[in-house]
Amino acid sequence: MSWLPSNDPVLGDPLSCDALELVIVPRTRDLGDGFEVRRALPHGKRQMVGPFIFFDHFGPVQFMSGKGMDVRPHPHIGLATVTYLFDGSIMHRDSEGNTREIQPGAMNLMTAGRGIAHSERTPDVQRASGQKMLGLQSWIALPAASEEIAPSFQHYAAADLPTVQDGGFTARVIAGSAFGATSPVAMVSPWFYTEVTAQAGIRVPLDPDHEERAIYVVDGEIEIADDRYEGPRLLIFRPGDRITVRTITPVRMMFLGGDALEGPRHLWWNFVSSSKERIEQAKQDWKTGRFAHVPNEHEFIPLPE
């Protein structure tokens, strides 16, 4: 696909305001103990943005002393998970033997490929003292040719990710390239993910070179072409148009997207695949215990019936 970029939108000019393709208000679910999840993708009108096929916003939630998150071991195929925190910590354990405490600002990319199981729990120290949690989890669907690659896990501390400060905003490039900087994270298809924070009255450009693009407003209020949007919102844009965001209040937002995959995906529970038959196989593999075990775990989430 190729296109010619248009000029910047002109505030108040409706002819320059149609770059916004879809606005998604995430659906809210309470998972218990006041732990809320807002789900923006998949949506009835849009399955993916680039390869992003699942986008959850969890928290803010305050866990009291002795309480915490306990997501028991569960399986994935055909995707990569990105867990990104603003507050709190999560202990990641997977069936490849990786154990890592996920902390705010760090990049944690678990590629399931042909199959992996993992758990996500509050670390012991934070469970004893209590902690506030706020973060995002995204699933990146893999290209059809890479759906059966070997599972793996990448971790980069916040200090290892490039940070750009320009014109009053700060951007941390979590994956891919943005604002002239490139993340060290290895990927099997072109996509990007960037955290942007800014005070009120700042202008931030959205790179027109990516095929599919969106902005997730975590908190705060922004203006694009004289229209205002308050978080949480997922704003999906047409390809090629030059977009400038103006912040109305202090804002935290995620810029995301990438190349569109070669076709839609089947999504069932924690499985993503271009093949319905592959998902049926994954169901049986989990039900019959053929996924590798997560070390130091003695329970699991059963296959939904």
Side-chain angles (χ1 to χ4, degrees):
M1 179 183 291
S2 64
W3 59 84
L4 293 175
S6 64
N7 294 325
D8 286 344
V10 178
L11 297 182
D13 178 3
L15 295 180
S16 68
C17 297
D18 60 356
L20 189 56
E21 183 177 301
L22 182 65
V23 178
I24 295 176
V25 179
R27 308 179 302 280
T28 301
R29 296 182 180 181
D30 190 334
L31 302 184
D33 294 325
F35 191 77
E36 289 190 342
V37 171
R38 299 176 178 89
R39 183 158 300 162
L41 289 175
H43 185 267
K45 294 183 178 180
R46 187 70 178 249
Q47 185 184 45
M48 289 183 278
V49 178
F52 283 80
I53 195 169
F54 182 93
F55 197 96
D56 261 9
H57 172 183
F58 53 87
V61 60
Q62 177 67 54
F63 287 114
M64 298 295 105
S65 177
K67 301 291 185 179
M69 169 190 286
D70 281 298
V71 181
R72 294 167 290 160
H74 57 281
H76 291 289
I77 65 164
L79 57 85
T81 65
V82 181
T83 302
Y84 190 77
L85 298 178
F86 307 117
D87 284 307
S89 296
I90 295 174
M91 184 62 72
H92 164 96
R93 293 185 178 90
D94 66 45
S95 53
E96 292 296 297
N98 299 296
T99 300
R100 173 68 66 170
E101 183 174 334
I102 300 173
Q103 297 178 329
M107 165 52 149
N108 299 272
L109 180 68
M110 183 187 75
T111 300
R114 61 176 175 255
I116 198 169
H118 74 134
S119 64
E120 299 155 293
R121 298 182 184 272
T122 298
D124 292 341
V125 172
Q126 288 85 348
R127 187 184 299 271
S129 61
Q131 70 167 347
K132 180 181 178 182
M133 283 202 62
L134 175 63
L136 304 168
Q137 187 169 87
S138 307
W139 293 359
I140 311 298
L142 301 178
S146 301
E147 286 181 326
E148 297 299 318
I149 61 176
S152 62
F153 183 79
Q154 296 180 68
H155 170 84
Y156 289 89
D160 297 330
L161 300 174
T163 300
V164 178
Q165 293 182 319
D166 182 25
F169 69 87
T170 300
R172 175 176 286 124
V173 184
I174 304 163
S177 298
F179 303 105
T182 299
S183 166
V185 174
M187 301 178 295
V188 298
S189 67
W191 54 279
F192 73 102
Y193 198 28
T194 302
E195 178 191 4
V196 178
T197 55
Q199 295 302 309
I202 302 300
R203 294 183 181 274
V204 186
L206 176 62
D207 190 342
D209 293 337
H210 298 287
E211 184 178 354
E212 296 189 353
R213 304 164 300 161
I215 294 175
Y216 186 77
V217 183
V218 180
D219 49 51
E221 185 177 7
I222 64 172
E223 181 181 80
I224 300 173
D226 214 26
D227 287 325
R228 294 190 175 191
Y229 305 95
E230 188 174 13
R233 293 287 188 280
L234 180 67
L235 313 177
I236 302 175
F237 299 90
R238 295 185 321 184
D241 289 308
R242 295 186 182 275
I243 304 298
T244 300
V245 177
R246 187 171 75 88
T247 59
I248 304 302
T249 67
V251 168
R252 186 197 310 269
M253 49 191 170
M254 309 300 290
F255 288 11
L256 61 121
D259 289 1
L261 295 185
E262 65 280 356
R265 291 293 183 269
H266 302 288
L267 174 60
W268 189 88
W269 191 38
N270 301 316
F271 305 138
V272 172
S273 179
S274 56
S275 164
K276 286 184 177 180
E277 292 74 20
R278 182 65 182 89
I279 287 181
E280 291 302 317
Q281 178 188 333
K283 290 181 185 180
Q284 291 304 311
D285 288 346
W286 184 247
K287 192 172 184 178
T288 57
R290 288 197 291 266
F291 273 81
H293 181 71
V294 179
N296 300 313
E297 288 282 5
H298 305 287
E299 54 185 353
F300 63 93
I301 299 177
L303 187 78
E305 298 293 344

